Amino acid sequence: MLLVDAYRSIWLKQVDERRYALLRIAFASVILINIAHLWPYRITLLCADGIINPAVASKSGPGLYLSIFSTVNSPAPVTVVFIAAAAATLLLAWGKLARPMLGILFWFLLSIMQRAPVATSGWDFILLNFAFILLLSPLGEKWNPYHLLLLRKGSPPDPQSVPRYGLVLMQLQVFVIYWQTVIQKIDDYYWQTGDFLTYFMLSHHSRFAGSWVIHWQGFLDILTYMTLMVELAIPILLWIPKTRRLGLFLGVAFHLSIAIFGVNLSIFSLVMIMTFLAFLNPWHHRPPGAATPTRAKASS
Amino acid sequence: MKTLCGILIVAFASLCAANILSGLATGNPPATDWLAALRRTTGVEQNWSMFHTIPRVHRLRVRVIAMDSGGNEHEFGAGLPGLEKIHPREKIRYYYTFERMFTPGGEDYRKPYIKALGRALGKKNPQLVEFSVHLEIDTTHPQTTRQEITRLLEHIRKDGKLTIEQRSVFGPFPVKNDAAG
């Protein structure tokens, strides 16, 4: 019985709903940035007479083909879908019709990945994955960015308690993202020899590619091994409350470095930093249901 | 009602957690067809292979060269529908697209793309008769090089040349001219 209760508690322990609200707002913001990133590709990759044949795309994977772009496939309607998706991110961030908006965004992300599977990147999968978990989690809809960041004077809503299963699933997902990638990397010759970062810095992904890289190979070898250690450590450090700040610092510094030294990897970095919010609890010192300072002041 | 809700949450979360944690199992074992379809459609597939090996490409260029009936060459961009120039370094998704279409396994996408190129060229200039797609890759480490015996970085250090140019030409293919049927 004790084990059953402990297992139930993993998923059903009550947490402050603002933790979900923070994730929801950050997720909506990252999706909006991703929509801006996808905007220049919308005609060439998603329209019927673009680069990717729709019939081939529809048969590319084992899943059900649900892409909206199978029927919406000419430039003007595709543009309208993009604008609608951007509007959905704003409403999601504001907590207005949050779950339907999340459903729309999940469909939008899935539609793009199914319609242009050869153009997908790693962060598309992470966003879709988090959209699915969020879709079935509490969203803290009452909290908009103004309330959450205490930017507006007046009475914010009372924070409620909600089960933490969504946050736990997202934390597990972050563990698996980092650890699976490390498992795959340690099996690779170039990660084993430490050559990876030298090749990376010589590749088209590098912002500063040039012959200088070769002269720094020894240092880059060390950084290659450190990358593996950092990727293993980030989720553990984030998970343990005492090391959470260190984990956050290490994770943000790691992904900022990727964004600075890499080209076109900024969105990936943003997406990963957004996932860290599943571990953070800025309201841990104030139990849910307790009056916030603003409310307490207002009522006195 | 509250108890039922709790049971549903625990059941859903347990299933999701099992799926997520299966991502750490050796080889990430393949699921049954219906489970693979469900995982793909809901986006909960667990394949996180970002940069699991070295990126080999330093620069990728894609050009479309067409020949008219007089034997003159015309160069076009590889973008569709308008044959616009594409920049794979600045626009990373074009890099993914062309790299995946023009490597083994990408034939299913490549063939209809080339047909569509033929139609777009015919629309653009009815005088064109044939075309080819030129893929120019500057690579630090050609795919065909065996990893164990060639420490390419040492070669680069010795001769100062960062990349090897690999050119692949796909074609010639006929231009589809609507007027000619």
Side-chain angles (χ1 to χ4, degrees), chain A residues 231-296:
Chain A
E231 286 183 323
L232 275 177
I234 287 172
I236 302 172
L237 294 174
L238 283 169
W239 188 60
I240 300 168
K242 279 190 178 172
T243 57
R244 195 159 287 151
R245 281 186 183 194
L246 175 64
L248 189 63
F249 173 77
L250 197 64
V252 171
F254 176 64
H255 285 289
L256 277 183
S257 308
I258 292 176
I260 291 167
F261 288 96
V263 177
N264 285 311
L265 295 171
S266 310
I267 298 182
F268 169 66
S269 293
L270 270 180
V271 169
M272 287 314 298
I273 290 170
M274 179 271 295
T275 67
F276 298 165
L277 295 178
F279 294 87
L280 302 189
N281 184 9
W283 297 280
H284 66 281
H285 54 282
R286 200 181 302 145
T292 59
T294 323
R295 180 168 283 270

Side-chain angles (χ1 to χ4, degrees), chain A residues 107-139:
Chain A
W107 189 25
F108 175 77
L109 292 169
L110 182 68
S111 294
I112 286 176
M113 290 174 70
Q114 290 192 330
R115 178 63 187 86
V118 283
T120 52
S121 62
W123 69 80
D124 292 321
F125 289 92
I126 300 171
L127 285 174
L128 189 69
N129 192 298
F130 267 64
F132 178 74
I133 298 174
L134 272 174
L135 196 55
L136 297 160
S137 300
L139 293 172

Side-chain angles (χ1 to χ4, degrees), chain B:
Chain B
M1 191 63 190
K2 203 178 168 188
T3 312
L4 179 67
C5 222
I7 291 169
L8 285 175
I9 287 172
V10 172
F12 161 75
S14 303
L15 278 173
C16 276
N19 173 67
I20 291 169
L21 291 171
S22 74
L24 291 178
T26 319
N28 200 2
T32 56
D33 287 350
W34 69 268
L35 193 55
L38 186 68
R39 292 173 89 194
R40 177 68 66 92
T41 311
T42 53
V44 296
E45 241 179 343
Q46 299 295 318
N47 184 15
W48 310 110
S49 56
M50 293 87 81
F51 291 113
H52 68 286
T53 190
I54 52 167
R56 294 162 189 267
V57 175
H58 177 73
R59 191 169 67 158
L60 169 74
R61 272 176 302 174
V62 192
R63 297 187 301 148
V64 176
I65 310 280
M67 195 83 83
D68 66 23
S69 47
N72 303 310
E73 275 191 1
H74 303 261
E75 186 173 333
F76 298 92
L80 285 175
L83 296 167
E84 57 274 14
K85 283 215 163 77
I86 54 140
H87 303 281
R89 183 177 149 87
E90 287 77 19
K91 298 270 182 288
I92 190 76
R93 288 179 193 265
Y94 290 138
Y95 167 76
Y96 293 138
T97 304
F98 282 93
E99 197 256 351
R100 289 166 185 165
M101 276 204 305
F102 284 89
T103 46
E107 298 84 0
D108 287 351
Y109 288 95
R110 190 164 68 231
K111 284 177 188 167
Y113 166 68
I114 285 168
K115 273 190 184 170
L117 265 184
R119 283 194 299 272
L121 286 164
K123 264 190 208 167
K124 194 100 171 173
N125 182 351
Q127 304 301 315
L128 299 174
V129 287
E130 63 176 34
F131 71 100
S132 47
V133 181
H134 294 242
L135 202 69
E136 297 166 8
I137 297 175
D138 294 343
T139 174
T140 48
H141 196 307
Q143 286 281 1
T144 47
T145 310
R146 279 201 284 157
Q147 57 188 20
E148 293 85 358
I149 58 166
T150 324
R151 295 277 295 175
L152 279 181
L153 293 175
E154 283 168 24
H155 287 296
I156 292 171
R157 190 179 292 112
K158 273 181 198 160
D159 63 20
K161 199 177 168 205
L162 291 181
T163 58
I164 299 158
E165 189 178 70
Q166 292 183 314
R167 286 167 180 250
S168 310
V169 179
F170 295 81
F173 305 103
V175 170
K176 180 111 176 157
N177 194 326
D178 284 343

